[in-house]
Amino acid sequence: MNDQRELISALAGRERARTRMRMATAGLGAAALATAGVVAYHLPAPVHKTATTTTVTPSAQPTLTIPANYSGDDGGGGTSSSVAAGGGTAHSTSGGS
C-alpha cells in the first residue's frame, strides 16, 4: 500500500512540474511577444516596405516612309519603302484606281 501512495505522489509531483513548466513557457512567450511589439512600435515607418516591380514596355518604334518614285499626288500606284528604327526595311506597293 505504501508503494501505491509513493506512485500516486510521484505522478502528482510530475503533473505539478508539467503545469509549472507550461505556465513558465506561456509567460515567457507572452513577454517575448510584448517586447517584440514595443520594439516594432518604436521602429521607423519605412522599415517594412513591400517590394514594387516596375515593368517597362518599349513603345512602338517610329517608321519613316520614303517614296521611291515621288511624282506628286497623281492617284497612281507607286512603290515606297519604310525604314523602321531597328534598321529593317519593309516594302509596300499601293494600288491605284
Side-chain angles (χ1 to χ4, degrees):
M1 187 86 141
N2 198 14
D3 291 337
Q4 189 176 7
R5 284 185 185 164
E6 289 177 12
L7 182 61
I8 292 172
S9 176
L11 290 174
R14 182 182 292 181
E15 188 60 34
R16 282 191 301 273
R18 283 183 185 168
T19 301
R20 278 195 300 266
M21 184 61 77
R22 252 184 267 131
M23 295 300 288
T25 303
L28 286 175
L33 185 62
T35 302
V38 169
V39 169
Y41 179 77
H42 289 292
L43 287 176
V47 168
H48 179 63
K49 186 176 181 182
T50 58
T52 57
T53 320
T54 304
T55 303
V56 177
T57 306
S59 60
Q61 295 183 355
T63 302
L64 175 63
T65 303
I66 304 170
N69 262 345
Y70 181 74
S71 60
D73 188 15
D74 59 356
T79 304
S80 65
S81 64
S82 299
V83 178
T89 302
H91 296 285
S92 66
T93 305
S94 62
S97 50

